[in-house]
Protein backbone atom coordinates (compact mmCIF):
# COMPACT_ATOMS: atom_id res chain seq x y z
CA UNK A 1 0.00 0.00 0.00
CA UNK A 2 3.02 2.29 -0.30
CA UNK A 3 2.57 5.56 -2.12
CA UNK A 4 6.19 6.63 -2.32
CA UNK A 5 5.74 9.49 -4.80
CA UNK A 6 2.94 11.07 -2.87
CA UNK A 7 4.82 10.83 0.39
CA UNK A 8 7.94 12.25 -1.20
CA UNK A 9 5.83 15.09 -2.58
CA UNK A 10 4.47 15.93 0.86
CA UNK A 11 7.91 16.06 2.44
CA UNK A 12 9.54 18.10 -0.29
CA UNK A 13 7.23 21.11 0.18
CA UNK A 14 4.81 20.85 -2.74
CA UNK A 15 4.46 23.90 -4.96
CA UNK A 16 2.04 24.89 -7.69
CA UNK A 17 2.66 26.83 -10.86
CA UNK A 18 -0.29 28.76 -12.27
CA UNK A 19 0.03 30.48 -15.65
CA UNK A 20 -0.76 34.15 -15.95
CA UNK A 21 -3.93 34.81 -17.91
CA UNK A 22 -4.68 37.73 -20.18
CA UNK A 23 -8.33 38.36 -20.99
CA UNK A 24 -8.85 40.11 -24.30
CA UNK A 25 -12.62 40.50 -24.16
CA UNK A 26 -15.29 39.73 -21.59
CA UNK A 27 -18.80 40.32 -20.30
CA UNK A 28 -19.88 40.40 -16.65
CA UNK A 29 -22.42 37.92 -15.26
CA UNK A 30 -23.22 38.40 -11.58
CA UNK A 31 -25.03 35.82 -9.44
CA UNK A 32 -25.70 35.40 -5.73
CA UNK A 33 -23.78 32.13 -5.65
CA UNK A 34 -20.14 33.05 -6.43
CA UNK A 35 -19.66 29.68 -8.13
CA UNK A 36 -22.31 30.67 -10.68
CA UNK A 37 -21.06 34.24 -11.10
CA UNK A 38 -18.29 35.01 -13.53
CA UNK A 39 -17.55 36.25 -16.99
CA UNK A 40 -17.89 35.05 -20.54
CA UNK A 41 -14.99 35.91 -22.78
CA UNK A 42 -11.67 34.84 -24.23
CA UNK A 43 -8.01 35.05 -23.37
CA UNK A 44 -4.71 33.21 -23.22
CA UNK A 45 -2.66 31.50 -20.53
CA UNK A 46 1.00 32.55 -20.34
CA UNK A 47 4.17 30.62 -19.56
CA UNK A 48 4.91 33.48 -17.16
CA UNK A 49 2.87 33.06 -13.99
CA UNK A 50 2.93 32.55 -10.25
CA UNK A 51 4.54 29.88 -8.08
CA UNK A 52 2.84 29.18 -4.78
CA UNK A 53 4.05 27.54 -1.57
CA UNK A 54 1.78 26.77 1.38
CA UNK A 55 3.06 26.01 4.88
CA UNK A 56 0.58 25.13 7.66
CA UNK A 57 0.35 27.93 10.25
CA UNK A 58 -1.99 28.97 13.06
CA UNK A 59 -2.90 32.14 11.24
CA UNK A 60 -3.12 32.73 7.50
CA UNK A 61 -0.60 35.15 6.03
CA UNK A 62 0.21 35.95 2.42
CA UNK A 63 3.58 37.02 1.07
CA UNK A 64 3.94 38.26 -2.51
CA UNK A 65 7.51 38.45 -3.82
CA UNK A 66 8.75 38.78 -0.25
CA UNK A 67 6.28 41.45 0.92
CA UNK A 68 3.39 40.73 3.28
CA UNK A 69 0.17 41.62 1.49
CA UNK A 70 -3.57 41.33 1.90
CA UNK A 71 -4.88 39.07 -0.83
CA UNK A 72 -8.51 38.25 -0.16
CA UNK A 73 -8.76 35.69 -2.94
CA UNK A 74 -6.05 33.64 -1.21
CA UNK A 75 -7.35 33.96 2.36
CA UNK A 76 -10.87 33.22 1.10
CA UNK A 77 -9.59 30.07 -0.60
CA UNK A 78 -7.99 28.79 2.61
CA UNK A 79 -11.10 29.70 4.63
CA UNK A 80 -13.26 27.70 2.25
CA UNK A 81 -10.89 24.75 2.54
CA UNK A 82 -11.02 25.00 6.34
CA UNK A 83 -7.27 25.40 6.88
CA UNK A 84 -4.84 28.20 7.75
CA UNK A 85 -1.34 28.60 6.38
CA UNK A 86 1.54 30.88 5.48
CA UNK A 87 1.23 31.32 1.70
CA UNK A 88 4.21 32.45 -0.36
CA UNK A 89 3.57 33.68 -3.89
CA UNK A 90 6.39 34.39 -6.34
CA UNK A 91 5.16 36.20 -9.43
CA UNK A 92 6.80 36.62 -12.84
CA UNK A 93 4.13 39.21 -13.58
CA UNK A 94 3.07 42.61 -12.24
CA UNK A 95 -0.03 42.77 -9.99
CA UNK A 96 -3.22 44.62 -11.05
CA UNK A 97 -1.96 44.79 -14.61
CA UNK A 98 -4.36 42.30 -16.18
CA UNK A 99 -2.40 39.06 -15.75
CA UNK A 100 -4.63 37.27 -13.25
CA UNK A 101 -2.04 37.24 -10.47
CA UNK A 102 -4.68 37.18 -7.70
CA UNK A 103 -6.64 34.36 -9.37
CA UNK A 104 -3.42 32.45 -9.95
CA UNK A 105 -2.40 32.89 -6.32
CA UNK A 106 -5.81 31.62 -5.18
CA UNK A 107 -5.77 28.60 -7.49
CA UNK A 108 -2.18 27.74 -6.66
CA UNK A 109 -3.03 27.97 -2.96
CA UNK A 110 -5.96 25.57 -3.43
CA UNK A 111 -3.79 23.01 -5.29
CA UNK A 112 -0.94 23.08 -2.77
CA UNK A 113 -3.19 23.16 0.30
CA UNK A 114 -5.03 20.10 -1.04
CA UNK A 115 -1.70 18.26 -1.27
CA UNK A 116 -0.20 19.60 1.92
CA UNK A 117 -3.23 18.96 4.15
CA UNK A 118 -4.29 15.77 2.30
CA UNK A 119 -7.76 17.22 1.69
CA UNK A 120 -8.67 14.77 -1.08
CA UNK A 121 -10.47 17.25 -3.34
CA UNK A 122 -10.66 16.79 -7.10
CA UNK A 123 -9.30 19.41 -9.50
CA UNK A 124 -12.79 20.71 -10.32
CA UNK A 125 -13.50 21.17 -6.62
CA UNK A 126 -10.27 23.10 -6.11
CA UNK A 127 -10.93 25.31 -9.13
CA UNK A 128 -14.43 25.95 -7.82
CA UNK A 129 -13.12 27.04 -4.41
CA UNK A 130 -10.54 29.41 -5.90
CA UNK A 131 -13.05 30.83 -8.42
CA UNK A 132 -15.61 31.53 -5.68
CA UNK A 133 -12.98 33.16 -3.44
CA UNK A 134 -11.75 35.33 -6.33
CA UNK A 135 -15.29 36.42 -7.25
CA UNK A 136 -16.08 37.28 -3.63
CA UNK A 137 -12.85 39.25 -3.34
CA UNK A 138 -13.94 41.22 -6.41
CA UNK A 139 -10.55 40.82 -8.06
CA UNK A 140 -11.54 38.70 -11.04
CA UNK A 141 -14.36 36.82 -12.75
CA UNK A 142 -12.91 34.46 -15.33
CA UNK A 143 -9.18 34.11 -14.79
CA UNK A 144 -9.29 31.11 -12.45
CA UNK A 145 -11.17 28.74 -14.77
CA UNK A 146 -9.02 29.79 -17.73
CA UNK A 147 -5.81 29.43 -15.71
CA UNK A 148 -6.86 25.93 -14.66
CA UNK A 149 -7.42 24.97 -18.30
CA UNK A 150 -4.41 26.58 -19.97
CA UNK A 151 -4.11 27.37 -23.68
CA UNK A 152 -6.32 29.90 -25.44
CA UNK A 153 -9.62 29.57 -23.60
CA UNK A 154 -13.07 30.54 -24.79
CA UNK A 155 -15.42 31.04 -21.86
CA UNK A 156 -18.87 30.34 -23.28
CA UNK A 157 -20.68 30.30 -19.94
CA UNK A 158 -19.66 31.95 -16.67
CA UNK A 159 -18.85 30.20 -13.44
CA UNK A 160 -16.93 27.41 -11.78
CA UNK A 161 -16.78 23.83 -13.12
CA UNK A 162 -20.29 22.40 -13.21
CA UNK A 163 -21.70 25.83 -14.12
CA UNK A 164 -19.29 27.37 -16.61
CA UNK A 165 -18.54 26.06 -20.08
CA UNK A 166 -15.13 26.27 -21.73
CA UNK A 167 -13.68 25.63 -25.15
CA UNK A 168 -10.33 26.55 -26.70
CA UNK A 169 -8.62 27.78 -29.84
CA UNK A 170 -6.02 25.34 -31.11
CA UNK A 171 -2.77 27.12 -31.91
CA UNK A 172 0.88 26.17 -32.51
CA UNK A 173 3.50 27.22 -29.94
CA UNK A 174 3.64 30.99 -30.29
CA UNK A 175 5.86 33.71 -28.91
CA UNK A 176 3.91 36.30 -26.94
CA UNK A 177 5.21 39.72 -25.95
CA UNK A 178 3.80 42.10 -23.38
CA UNK A 179 4.48 45.51 -21.91
CA UNK A 180 2.78 47.12 -18.88
CA UNK A 181 2.34 50.82 -18.34
CA UNK A 182 0.70 50.60 -14.93
CA UNK A 183 -1.98 49.05 -12.77
CA UNK A 184 -5.73 49.28 -12.81
CA UNK A 185 -8.33 48.18 -10.27
CA UNK A 186 -10.43 45.32 -11.56
CA UNK A 187 -12.86 45.81 -8.67
CA UNK A 188 -13.54 49.42 -9.62
CA UNK A 189 -14.54 48.50 -13.13
CA UNK A 190 -16.43 45.23 -12.62
CA UNK A 191 -18.12 46.71 -9.54
CA UNK A 192 -19.42 49.73 -11.51
CA UNK A 193 -21.90 50.09 -14.36
CA UNK A 194 -20.98 47.31 -16.75
CA UNK A 195 -23.90 47.39 -19.20
CA UNK A 196 -21.96 48.93 -22.09
CA UNK A 197 -18.95 46.74 -21.38
CA UNK A 198 -21.05 43.60 -21.23
CA UNK A 199 -22.84 44.38 -24.50
CA UNK A 200 -19.47 44.99 -26.18
CA UNK A 201 -18.10 41.78 -24.70
CA UNK A 202 -21.03 39.66 -25.87
CA UNK A 203 -20.71 41.12 -29.37
CA UNK A 204 -16.96 40.51 -29.52
CA UNK A 205 -17.26 36.92 -28.26
CA UNK A 206 -19.94 36.14 -30.86
CA UNK A 207 -17.68 37.55 -33.57
CA UNK A 208 -14.74 35.49 -32.35
CA UNK A 209 -16.83 32.33 -32.27
CA UNK A 210 -17.71 32.89 -35.94
CA UNK A 211 -14.00 32.61 -36.81
CA UNK A 212 -12.22 31.13 -33.81
CA UNK A 213 -8.54 31.60 -34.70
CA UNK A 214 -5.76 33.00 -32.55
CA UNK A 215 -5.10 36.13 -34.65
CA UNK A 216 -8.86 36.80 -34.63
CA UNK A 217 -8.74 36.93 -30.81
CA UNK A 218 -6.59 40.05 -31.16
CA UNK A 219 -8.94 41.59 -33.72
CA UNK A 220 -12.04 41.00 -31.56
CA UNK A 221 -10.23 42.11 -28.39
CA UNK A 222 -9.34 45.44 -30.00
CA UNK A 223 -12.96 45.96 -31.07
CA UNK A 224 -14.06 45.18 -27.50
CA UNK A 225 -11.57 47.57 -25.87
CA UNK A 226 -12.69 50.39 -28.14
CA UNK A 227 -16.44 49.67 -27.80
CA UNK A 228 -16.19 49.34 -24.02
CA UNK A 229 -14.11 52.53 -23.85
CA UNK A 230 -11.33 50.92 -21.84
CA UNK A 231 -8.31 52.08 -23.88
CA UNK A 232 -5.87 54.52 -22.27
CA UNK A 233 -3.47 56.69 -24.30
CA UNK A 234 -0.29 54.60 -23.78
CA UNK A 235 -2.19 51.38 -24.51
CA UNK A 236 -3.78 52.77 -27.66
CA UNK A 237 -0.44 54.13 -28.83
CA UNK A 238 1.33 50.78 -28.37
CA UNK A 239 -1.42 48.85 -30.15
CA UNK A 240 -1.34 51.30 -33.05
CA UNK A 241 2.45 51.06 -33.27
CA UNK A 242 2.37 47.26 -33.40
CA UNK A 243 -0.28 47.30 -36.10
CA UNK A 244 1.63 49.86 -38.16
CA UNK A 245 4.62 47.53 -38.00
CA UNK A 246 2.41 44.75 -39.41
CA UNK A 247 1.68 42.90 -36.17
CA UNK A 248 -1.24 41.95 -33.94
CA UNK A 249 -1.75 43.43 -30.46
CA UNK A 250 -4.51 43.90 -27.92
CA UNK A 251 -5.10 45.26 -24.42
CA UNK A 252 -5.02 42.95 -21.40
CA UNK A 253 -8.21 43.26 -19.35
CA UNK A 254 -8.05 44.87 -16.87
CA UNK A 255 -4.64 46.52 -16.82
CA UNK A 256 -2.64 49.10 -18.68
CA UNK A 257 -0.98 46.26 -20.52
CA UNK A 258 -0.54 45.42 -24.19
CA UNK A 259 0.11 41.91 -25.48
CA UNK A 260 1.31 41.14 -28.98
CA UNK A 261 1.58 38.10 -31.19
CA UNK A 262 5.13 37.01 -32.07
CA UNK A 263 7.65 39.86 -32.00
CA UNK A 264 5.03 42.54 -32.63
CA UNK A 265 6.06 44.87 -29.81
CA UNK A 266 9.78 44.46 -30.48
CA UNK A 267 9.29 45.33 -34.14
CA UNK A 268 7.33 48.40 -33.04
CA UNK A 269 10.31 49.63 -31.01
CA UNK A 270 9.20 48.56 -27.50
CA UNK A 271 11.26 46.47 -25.08
CA UNK A 272 8.67 43.91 -24.06
CA UNK A 273 8.80 40.90 -21.79
CA UNK A 274 8.69 37.65 -23.78
CA UNK A 275 6.84 34.44 -23.02
CA UNK A 276 4.74 31.72 -24.67
CA UNK A 277 1.29 30.27 -24.40
CA UNK A 278 1.04 27.87 -21.45
CA UNK A 279 -0.72 24.72 -22.62
CA UNK A 280 -0.99 22.73 -19.39
CA UNK A 281 -2.77 25.09 -17.02
CA UNK A 282 -2.37 25.18 -13.23
CA UNK A 283 -0.45 22.25 -11.79
CA UNK A 284 1.60 20.95 -8.90
CA UNK A 285 5.32 21.15 -9.70
CA UNK B 1 -3.71 42.26 -40.39
CA UNK B 2 -0.59 40.10 -40.52
CA UNK B 3 -0.63 36.82 -38.69
CA UNK B 4 3.03 35.93 -38.93
CA UNK B 5 3.04 33.09 -36.41
CA UNK B 6 0.11 31.37 -37.97
CA UNK B 7 1.54 31.65 -41.45
CA UNK B 8 4.90 30.42 -40.28
CA UNK B 9 3.15 27.47 -38.63
CA UNK B 10 1.39 26.53 -41.83
CA UNK B 11 4.59 26.58 -43.85
CA UNK B 12 6.64 24.66 -41.32
CA UNK B 13 4.45 21.53 -41.52
CA UNK B 14 2.43 21.68 -38.31
CA UNK B 15 2.51 18.61 -36.07
CA UNK B 16 0.53 17.51 -33.07
CA UNK B 17 1.63 15.60 -30.00
CA UNK B 18 -1.01 13.56 -28.22
CA UNK B 19 -0.16 11.87 -24.91
CA UNK B 20 -0.74 8.18 -24.53
CA UNK B 21 -3.59 7.36 -22.16
CA UNK B 22 -3.91 4.42 -19.83
CA UNK B 23 -7.38 3.62 -18.55
CA UNK B 24 -7.38 1.87 -15.20
CA UNK B 25 -11.12 1.30 -14.85
CA UNK B 26 -14.15 1.93 -17.03
CA UNK B 27 -17.77 1.19 -17.84
CA UNK B 28 -19.31 1.04 -21.33
CA UNK B 29 -22.11 3.41 -22.37
CA UNK B 30 -23.37 2.88 -25.91
CA UNK B 31 -25.56 5.38 -27.79
CA UNK B 32 -26.74 5.75 -31.37
CA UNK B 33 -24.98 9.10 -31.69
CA UNK B 34 -21.24 8.35 -31.40
CA UNK B 35 -20.68 11.75 -29.77
CA UNK B 36 -22.94 10.63 -26.89
CA UNK B 37 -21.47 7.13 -26.66
CA UNK B 38 -18.37 6.50 -24.61
CA UNK B 39 -17.14 5.29 -21.28
CA UNK B 40 -17.06 6.49 -17.72
CA UNK B 41 -13.85 5.78 -15.88
CA UNK B 42 -10.43 7.00 -14.88
CA UNK B 43 -6.90 6.95 -16.21
CA UNK B 44 -3.74 8.93 -16.79
CA UNK B 45 -2.15 10.73 -19.71
CA UNK B 46 1.50 9.84 -20.40
CA UNK B 47 4.45 11.92 -21.59
CA UNK B 48 5.00 9.08 -24.08
CA UNK B 49 2.54 9.41 -26.93
CA UNK B 50 2.08 9.90 -30.66
CA UNK B 51 3.27 12.64 -33.00
CA UNK B 52 1.11 13.24 -36.06
CA UNK B 53 1.82 14.94 -39.38
CA UNK B 54 -0.86 15.59 -42.00
CA UNK B 55 -0.08 16.39 -45.65
CA UNK B 56 -2.96 17.16 -48.06
CA UNK B 57 -3.39 14.35 -50.62
CA UNK B 58 -6.04 13.20 -53.11
CA UNK B 59 -6.55 9.99 -51.19
CA UNK B 60 -6.26 9.40 -47.46
CA UNK B 61 -3.46 7.09 -46.33
CA UNK B 62 -2.13 6.36 -42.86
CA UNK B 63 1.43 5.44 -41.97
CA UNK B 64 2.32 4.24 -38.47
CA UNK B 65 6.03 4.23 -37.66
CA UNK B 66 6.81 3.94 -41.36
CA UNK B 67 4.33 1.15 -42.19
CA UNK B 68 1.14 1.73 -44.16
CA UNK B 69 -1.78 0.70 -41.95
CA UNK B 70 -5.55 0.81 -41.87
CA UNK B 71 -6.60 3.01 -38.96
CA UNK B 72 -10.33 3.67 -39.16
CA UNK B 73 -10.32 6.23 -36.35
CA UNK B 74 -7.96 8.38 -38.43
CA UNK B 75 -9.70 8.00 -41.80
CA UNK B 76 -13.05 8.57 -40.09
CA UNK B 77 -11.70 11.79 -38.56
CA UNK B 78 -10.60 13.14 -41.94
CA UNK B 79 -13.90 12.08 -43.55
CA UNK B 80 -15.83 13.99 -40.90
CA UNK B 81 -13.65 17.04 -41.47
CA UNK B 82 -14.25 16.77 -45.24
CA UNK B 83 -10.60 16.53 -46.25
CA UNK B 84 -8.18 13.86 -47.45
CA UNK B 85 -4.52 13.62 -46.55
CA UNK B 86 -1.47 11.47 -46.04
CA UNK B 87 -1.23 11.03 -42.27
CA UNK B 88 2.03 10.03 -40.62
CA UNK B 89 1.92 8.79 -37.03
CA UNK B 90 5.08 8.22 -35.00
CA UNK B 91 4.35 6.37 -31.76
CA UNK B 92 6.43 6.04 -28.60
CA UNK B 93 4.01 3.33 -27.52
CA UNK B 94 2.93 -0.11 -28.74
CA UNK B 95 -0.41 -0.44 -30.56
CA UNK B 96 -3.35 -2.41 -29.09
CA UNK B 97 -1.63 -2.52 -25.73
CA UNK B 98 -3.93 -0.15 -23.85
CA UNK B 99 -2.19 3.18 -24.52
CA UNK B 100 -4.80 4.87 -26.69
CA UNK B 101 -2.60 5.00 -29.80
CA UNK B 102 -5.58 4.94 -32.19
CA UNK B 103 -7.44 7.66 -30.28
CA UNK B 104 -4.26 9.71 -30.11
CA UNK B 105 -3.70 9.32 -33.84
CA UNK B 106 -7.29 10.43 -34.52
CA UNK B 107 -7.09 13.45 -32.22
CA UNK B 108 -3.67 14.47 -33.52
CA UNK B 109 -5.00 14.19 -37.07
CA UNK B 110 -7.93 16.46 -36.21
CA UNK B 111 -5.67 19.11 -34.65
CA UNK B 112 -3.17 19.17 -37.51
CA UNK B 113 -5.81 18.98 -40.28
CA UNK B 114 -7.59 21.96 -38.69
CA UNK B 115 -4.35 23.96 -38.90
CA UNK B 116 -3.21 22.68 -42.26
CA UNK B 117 -6.53 23.15 -44.06
CA UNK B 118 -7.48 26.31 -42.09
CA UNK B 119 -10.77 24.71 -41.01
CA UNK B 120 -11.41 27.13 -38.15
CA UNK B 121 -12.78 24.56 -35.67
CA UNK B 122 -12.49 25.02 -31.93
CA UNK B 123 -10.71 22.47 -29.74
CA UNK B 124 -14.00 21.02 -28.46
CA UNK B 125 -15.18 20.51 -32.05
CA UNK B 126 -11.95 18.74 -32.98
CA UNK B 127 -12.11 16.52 -29.90
CA UNK B 128 -15.72 15.71 -30.74
CA UNK B 129 -14.83 14.67 -34.30
CA UNK B 130 -11.98 12.43 -33.16
CA UNK B 131 -14.06 10.91 -30.36
CA UNK B 132 -16.91 10.08 -32.72
CA UNK B 133 -14.53 8.56 -35.29
CA UNK B 134 -12.84 6.46 -32.61
CA UNK B 135 -16.16 5.22 -31.23
CA UNK B 136 -17.40 4.31 -34.72
CA UNK B 137 -14.15 2.49 -35.44
CA UNK B 138 -14.74 0.48 -32.25
CA UNK B 139 -11.17 1.02 -31.07
CA UNK B 140 -11.87 3.11 -27.98
CA UNK B 141 -14.52 4.87 -25.89
CA UNK B 142 -12.86 7.30 -23.54
CA UNK B 143 -9.23 7.81 -24.56
CA UNK B 144 -9.79 10.80 -26.85
CA UNK B 145 -11.46 13.10 -24.30
CA UNK B 146 -8.89 12.15 -21.65
CA UNK B 147 -5.99 12.65 -24.08
CA UNK B 148 -7.32 16.09 -24.97
CA UNK B 149 -7.43 17.03 -21.27
CA UNK B 150 -4.15 15.59 -20.02
CA UNK B 151 -3.35 14.80 -16.39
CA UNK B 152 -5.18 12.17 -14.36
CA UNK B 153 -8.71 12.35 -15.76
CA UNK B 154 -11.92 11.22 -14.11
CA UNK B 155 -14.60 10.62 -16.72
CA UNK B 156 -17.88 11.16 -14.85
CA UNK B 157 -20.12 11.13 -17.92
CA UNK B 158 -19.46 9.50 -21.30
CA UNK B 159 -19.14 11.27 -24.61
CA UNK B 160 -17.60 14.15 -26.49
CA UNK B 161 -17.44 17.75 -25.18
CA UNK B 162 -20.98 19.00 -24.64
CA UNK B 163 -22.09 15.53 -23.52
CA UNK B 164 -19.30 14.09 -21.40
CA UNK B 165 -18.15 15.44 -18.07
CA UNK B 166 -14.56 15.39 -16.86
CA UNK B 167 -12.69 16.10 -13.67
CA UNK B 168 -9.14 15.35 -12.58
CA UNK B 169 -6.98 14.20 -9.70
CA UNK B 170 -4.34 16.77 -8.78
CA UNK B 171 -0.94 15.14 -8.42
CA UNK B 172 2.70 16.25 -8.29
CA UNK B 173 5.01 15.32 -11.19
CA UNK B 174 5.36 11.58 -10.88
CA UNK B 175 7.50 8.94 -12.55
CA UNK B 176 5.41 6.26 -14.25
CA UNK B 177 6.73 2.89 -15.43
CA UNK B 178 5.11 0.44 -17.80
CA UNK B 179 5.74 -2.92 -19.36
CA UNK B 180 3.74 -4.60 -22.14
CA UNK B 181 3.37 -8.33 -22.65
CA UNK B 182 1.29 -8.19 -25.82
CA UNK B 183 -1.71 -6.78 -27.60
CA UNK B 184 -5.41 -7.18 -27.06
CA UNK B 185 -8.37 -6.21 -29.23
CA UNK B 186 -10.41 -3.43 -27.65
CA UNK B 187 -13.16 -4.03 -30.21
CA UNK B 188 -13.55 -7.69 -29.20
CA UNK B 189 -14.12 -6.79 -25.57
CA UNK B 190 -16.19 -3.62 -25.82
CA UNK B 191 -18.21 -5.18 -28.66
CA UNK B 192 -19.13 -8.25 -26.55
CA UNK B 193 -21.16 -8.73 -23.38
CA UNK B 194 -20.07 -5.90 -21.13
CA UNK B 195 -22.63 -6.12 -18.34
CA UNK B 196 -20.27 -7.55 -15.71
CA UNK B 197 -17.49 -5.23 -16.79
CA UNK B 198 -19.72 -2.18 -16.64
CA UNK B 199 -21.02 -3.04 -13.18
CA UNK B 200 -17.44 -3.50 -11.96
CA UNK B 201 -16.42 -0.21 -13.60
CA UNK B 202 -19.26 1.76 -12.04
CA UNK B 203 -18.42 0.32 -8.63
CA UNK B 204 -14.70 1.11 -8.96
CA UNK B 205 -15.35 4.68 -10.15
CA UNK B 206 -17.68 5.35 -7.22
CA UNK B 207 -15.02 4.03 -4.85
CA UNK B 208 -12.36 6.21 -6.43
CA UNK B 209 -14.59 9.28 -6.20
CA UNK B 210 -14.94 8.69 -2.46
CA UNK B 211 -11.17 9.15 -2.07
CA UNK B 212 -9.86 10.71 -5.29
CA UNK B 213 -6.09 10.39 -4.90
CA UNK B 214 -3.57 9.11 -7.41
CA UNK B 215 -2.50 6.03 -5.41
CA UNK B 216 -6.18 5.20 -4.95
CA UNK B 217 -6.56 5.07 -8.75
CA UNK B 218 -4.24 2.05 -8.70
CA UNK B 219 -6.17 0.39 -5.86
CA UNK B 220 -9.54 0.84 -7.59
CA UNK B 221 -8.12 -0.18 -10.97
CA UNK B 222 -6.88 -3.45 -9.53
CA UNK B 223 -10.29 -4.15 -8.00
CA UNK B 224 -11.89 -3.42 -11.36
CA UNK B 225 -9.53 -5.68 -13.33
CA UNK B 226 -10.22 -8.56 -10.94
CA UNK B 227 -14.00 -8.03 -10.78
CA UNK B 228 -14.27 -7.68 -14.57
CA UNK B 229 -12.12 -10.78 -15.01
CA UNK B 230 -9.68 -9.05 -17.36
CA UNK B 231 -6.38 -10.07 -15.76
CA UNK B 232 -4.05 -12.38 -17.68
CA UNK B 233 -1.31 -14.45 -16.00
CA UNK B 234 1.67 -12.20 -16.92
CA UNK B 235 -0.26 -9.08 -15.93
CA UNK B 236 -1.34 -10.54 -12.60
CA UNK B 237 2.18 -11.75 -11.91
CA UNK B 238 3.71 -8.32 -12.57
CA UNK B 239 1.14 -6.50 -10.44
CA UNK B 240 1.73 -8.95 -7.58
CA UNK B 241 5.48 -8.53 -7.87
CA UNK B 242 5.25 -4.73 -7.70
CA UNK B 243 3.00 -4.88 -4.68
CA UNK B 244 5.27 -7.37 -2.91
CA UNK B 245 8.11 -4.89 -3.44
CA UNK B 246 5.97 -2.21 -1.74
CA UNK B 247 4.74 -0.40 -4.86
CA UNK B 248 1.50 0.41 -6.67
CA UNK B 249 0.61 -1.11 -10.05
CA UNK B 250 -2.43 -1.72 -12.22
CA UNK B 251 -3.43 -3.12 -15.60
CA UNK B 252 -3.85 -0.80 -18.60
CA UNK B 253 -7.28 -1.26 -20.21
CA UNK B 254 -7.34 -2.84 -22.68
CA UNK B 255 -3.91 -4.33 -23.20
CA UNK B 256 -1.57 -6.84 -21.65
CA UNK B 257 0.19 -3.93 -20.02
CA UNK B 258 1.07 -3.07 -16.43
CA UNK B 259 1.73 0.48 -15.21
CA UNK B 260 3.35 1.31 -11.91
CA UNK B 261 3.76 4.37 -9.76
CA UNK B 262 7.33 5.62 -9.33
CA UNK B 263 9.96 2.91 -9.77
CA UNK B 264 7.58 0.10 -8.80
CA UNK B 265 8.33 -2.20 -11.74
CA UNK B 266 12.08 -1.61 -11.57
CA UNK B 267 12.12 -2.50 -7.88
CA UNK B 268 10.17 -5.66 -8.72
CA UNK B 269 12.90 -6.73 -11.14
CA UNK B 270 11.30 -5.74 -14.45
CA UNK B 271 12.90 -3.56 -17.13
CA UNK B 272 10.10 -1.12 -17.78
CA UNK B 273 9.79 1.90 -20.03
CA UNK B 274 9.79 5.13 -18.03
CA UNK B 275 7.72 8.25 -18.53
CA UNK B 276 5.75 10.87 -16.61
CA UNK B 277 2.21 12.15 -16.41
CA UNK B 278 1.49 14.53 -19.28
CA UNK B 279 -0.26 17.61 -17.88
CA UNK B 280 -1.03 19.57 -21.04
CA UNK B 281 -3.00 17.12 -23.15
CA UNK B 282 -3.10 17.04 -26.97
CA UNK B 283 -1.50 20.06 -28.65
CA UNK B 284 0.07 21.43 -31.78
CA UNK B 285 3.87 21.41 -31.47
Amino acid sequence: MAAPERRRGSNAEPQAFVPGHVTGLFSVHPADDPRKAGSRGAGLALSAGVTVTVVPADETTVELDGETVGMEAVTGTLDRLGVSAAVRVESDLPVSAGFGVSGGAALGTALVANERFDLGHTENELVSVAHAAEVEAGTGLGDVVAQARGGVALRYEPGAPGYGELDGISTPPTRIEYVSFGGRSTGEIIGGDVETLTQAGERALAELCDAPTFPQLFVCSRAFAADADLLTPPVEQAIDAVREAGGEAAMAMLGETVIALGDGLTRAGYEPAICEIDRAGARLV
Side-chain angles (χ1 to χ4, degrees), chain A:
Chain A
M1 295 303 291
E5 290 297 321
R6 188 174 175 84
R7 277 212 300 269
R8 189 152 71 224
S10 297
N11 292 339
E13 210 176 286
Q15 291 190 318
F17 172 79
V18 183
H21 179 255
V22 168
T23 285
L25 56 97
F26 72 107
S27 53
V28 176
H29 301 272
D32 288 339
D33 183 340
R35 294 168 306 169
K36 295 182 187 172
S39 58
R40 306 176 65 213
L44 57 151
L46 303 179
S47 57
V50 299
T51 303
V52 181
T53 312
V54 174
V55 178
D58 286 344
E59 207 177 314
T60 289
T61 55
V62 185
E63 210 180 78
L64 173 66
D65 293 333
E67 305 267 313
T68 299
V69 293
M71 213 181 237
E72 260 185 77
V74 171
T75 49
T77 293
L78 290 178
D79 287 349
R80 283 169 181 269
L81 293 172
V83 296
S84 59
V87 176
R88 244 183 25 240
V89 182
E90 303 285 333
S91 178
D92 303 325
L93 296 161
V95 182
S96 297
F99 291 109
V101 169
S102 57
L107 181 53
T109 298
L111 289 170
V112 185
N114 184 62
E115 189 70 13
R116 189 79 197 218
F117 294 94
D118 263 324
L119 302 178
H121 292 298
T122 66
E123 289 182 337
N124 285 1
E125 289 164 356
L126 297 168
V127 174
S128 189
V129 163
H131 171 82
E134 164 91 329
V135 166
E136 291 210 321
T139 43
L141 290 170
D143 286 324
V144 170
V145 295
Q147 287 169 309
R149 184 188 187 282
V152 181
L154 298 167
R155 308 194 304 279
Y156 292 150
E157 296 296 339
Y163 301 103
E165 200 189 318
L166 297 175
D167 196 349
I169 294 175
S170 171
T171 186
T174 302
R175 171 179 168 136
I176 301 291
E177 294 186 345
Y178 61 88
V179 62
S180 272
F181 305 106
R184 188 141 202 194
S185 162
T186 298
E188 244 172 59
I189 292 180
I190 66 179
D193 176 10
V194 294
E195 202 184 307
T196 306
L197 181 155
T198 287
Q199 280 172 1
E202 297 275 356
R203 213 159 39 231
L205 182 60
E207 243 184 75
L208 178 57
C209 290
D210 279 346
T213 67
F214 191 49
Q216 187 69 5
L217 170 60
F218 288 82
V219 175
C220 296
S221 295
R222 280 199 303 272
F224 166 73
D227 289 358
D229 202 16
L230 290 166
L231 292 166
T232 61
V235 165
E236 197 163 8
Q237 203 178 334
I239 292 176
D240 287 349
V242 171
R243 298 204 59 213
E244 275 159 29
E248 287 287 355
M251 179 181 170
M253 301 297 162
L254 286 161
E256 276 207 88
T257 296
V258 173
I259 51 163
L261 217 167
D263 55 0
L265 278 159
T266 299
R267 277 192 290 150
Y270 287 82
E271 288 181 10
I274 297 165
C275 63
E276 289 180 28
I277 298 171
D278 175 272
R279 328 289 285 260
R283 55 201 178 266
L284 292 172
V285 289

